[in-house]
Amino acid sequence: EVQFVESGGGLVQAGGSLRLSCVASGFSIDDIIIAWFHQAPGKEREGVSCIASGDGKTYYAPPAKTRFTISVDNAKNTAYLEMNDLTPDDTGMYYCAASRAGILWLGAADYENWGQGTQVTVNS
């Protein structure tokens, strides 16, 4: 199946850190935009950050700007999301997806190859 496979989620105390990974399965991540999305319990899926795999340019949603870092390793066909200073509001499922629209933005409608997600739970 042509999708991302996410991992790295878990249970962490507030103030802690996690590093999420998503590996592309069945396709190359060359010259695409890869984004991480967060879906909190009972809420809509929201964009967190995206990166252009070709030149490494990034974009962050305001809540993620000072605490999260997105990166990509093209040789490993993998993207990462380093999350620091986590709060209970960061709890939820985190998904990876790809856009071939060539624009650094977080509109979910332009993304495809969604993974199954990885669960992050932050205790206060």
Side-chain angles (χ1 to χ4, degrees):
E1 196 167 352
V2 182
Q3 66 177 50
F4 282 107
V5 179
E6 300 93 339
S7 63
L11 175 64
V12 64
Q13 294 296 113
S17 299
L18 284 173
R19 189 192 195 207
L20 307 184
S21 301
C22 69
V23 181
S25 176
F27 67 101
S28 170
I29 65 169
D30 289 343
D31 295 321
I32 62 172
I33 308 293
I34 302 168
W36 284 95
F37 290 82
H38 169 223
Q39 187 164 20
K43 295 189 177 181
E44 296 289 317
R45 194 173 297 187
E46 295 182 336
V48 175
S49 180
C50 57
I51 185 168
S53 65
D55 60 14
K57 289 183 178 178
T58 59
Y59 172 79
Y60 294 89
K65 211 165 188 176
T66 59
R67 301 183 297 125
F68 295 178
T69 302
I70 192 171
S71 61
V72 63
D73 186 334
N74 288 287
K76 294 183 178 180
N77 229 27
T78 300
Y80 305 93
L81 185 69
E82 182 80 32
M83 306 190 296
N84 299 307
D85 193 22
L86 287 162
T87 74
D89 287 341
D90 297 317
T91 292
M93 291 292 289
Y94 284 78
Y95 300 89
C96 222
S99 169
R100 292 161 179 83
I103 302 170
L104 279 170
W105 82 307
L106 294 170
D110 271 356
Y111 283 85
E112 55 189 354
N113 305 120
W114 293 87
Q116 296 301 309
T118 186
Q119 174 70 40
V120 171
T121 303
V122 184
N123 284 341
S124 58

